[in-house]
Amino acid sequence: MKIWARVLAGVGVVVAAGVVVAAQAYPSVAATACPGCYDLTEAAPGVYVEEGQDGAEAVRVAEVARKRVEEFYGSRVSSPRLLVCVTDACYRRIGGGGERGIAVMNQAVMLSPRGIDPVIASHEMSHVELHARGGKVSQWFDEGLAVVVSDDRRYLAAPDPADPSRLTAPGSHDRCLVRTAEPLPDRLDGWLRAATADKQLYAKAACRTDQWLVANGGRDGLLRSLGR
């Protein structure tokens, strides 16, 4: 019995050490699993904000972003946690970098102080929703679709007010701002490298994705394609 006690104690030490190493190496994953361990408090179901900060704006952003995702897809099958940092120190602590926001393991969305906005939040939530629906697409399509879902006017022209159902049924209005015939990155690593060098990359991907939606039946066509 003493031997087994020692073995179990040893296993416990190894597991604890593994948790510490994982938390240090992947703080964003650890923060997703335990927001309170990183001084984040729950302001509303699934919305965590930096301790001591007013969570009203984060809750509003979450509500608008969730609505945008739901309106595009017709429903939501994902429910990622939203981790919101008001200070750079908080964002660095949970593993963030120079980005405005990022999706984590299809389980959470982290927002930096520069990303507390429905556009950024719904962009990242779109990634999670697409993957939750089994979407295995090229990186450029994933990013372009997130721009469309979030209605990011930095990379898309305003929608045609005369065609309010353009995303759920094919229409004639073209929202492209930057057209290109060049190949776009299929993989995440290539996308990250290209996005650093090309400030128009998101607009190019959004244009091509928008054109695909118009030509293939909008949201319904996308959902049929994901089903296949």
Side-chain angles (χ1 to χ4, degrees):
M1 292 298 292
K2 290 182 178 180
I3 293 176
W4 279 111
R6 290 173 182 173
V7 170
L8 291 174
V11 170
V13 170
V14 171
V15 171
V19 171
V20 171
V21 170
Q24 292 176 341
Y26 307 104
S28 57
V29 177
T32 294
C34 181
C37 299
Y38 287 78
D39 297 328
L40 297 171
T41 59
E42 193 169 29
V47 181
Y48 296 84
V49 298
E50 193 172 349
E51 193 172 74
Q53 301 290 337
D54 182 7
E57 180 61 10
V59 171
R60 184 193 72 82
V61 165
E63 290 175 349
V64 175
R66 288 167 177 165
K67 184 178 179 181
R68 288 189 184 185
V69 173
E70 187 167 337
E71 285 179 344
F72 178 87
Y73 283 97
S75 63
R76 280 192 304 116
V77 300
S78 66
S79 184
R81 285 181 166 181
L82 188 65
L83 311 183
V84 182
C85 281
V86 178
T87 65
D88 289 329
C90 166
Y91 197 60
R92 288 193 299 269
R93 186 166 61 249
I94 64 174
E99 69 282 341
R100 295 189 179 192
I102 192 170
V104 182
M105 301 288 289
N106 299 327
Q107 298 296 319
V109 167
M110 298 184 350
L111 297 181
S112 78
R114 298 165 299 286
I116 307 175
D117 180 274
V119 171
I120 305 301
S122 55
H123 179 112
E124 301 305 331
M125 287 181 183
S126 172
H127 291 314
V128 176
E129 182 70 18
L130 178 65
H131 299 162
R133 290 173 179 268
K136 296 181 179 179
V137 299
S138 296
Q139 191 64 35
W140 66 262
F141 190 92
D142 198 341
E143 296 294 347
L145 184 63
V147 172
V148 173
V149 172
S150 63
D151 192 25
D152 194 334
R153 303 295 174 83
R154 294 174 299 171
Y155 308 120
L156 279 176
D160 182 358
D163 190 11
S165 62
R166 192 194 58 78
L167 291 179
T168 56
S172 58
H173 184 58
D174 191 331
R175 299 186 65 188
C176 288
L177 290 179
V178 182
R179 303 173 189 278
T180 183
E182 67 189 43
L184 297 176
D186 286 329
R187 297 172 60 86
L188 178 59
D189 54 353
W191 176 270
L192 294 175
R193 288 195 301 270
T196 300
D198 185 357
K199 301 304 181 184
Q200 299 295 334
L201 189 61
Y202 279 91
K204 293 174 182 177
C207 174
R208 191 168 296 177
T209 302
D210 183 69
Q211 290 174 327
W212 187 95
L213 289 168
V214 170
N216 290 277
R219 176 190 70 197
D220 294 340
L222 172 67
L223 295 181
R224 286 194 297 269
S225 295
L226 293 179
R228 292 194 295 272

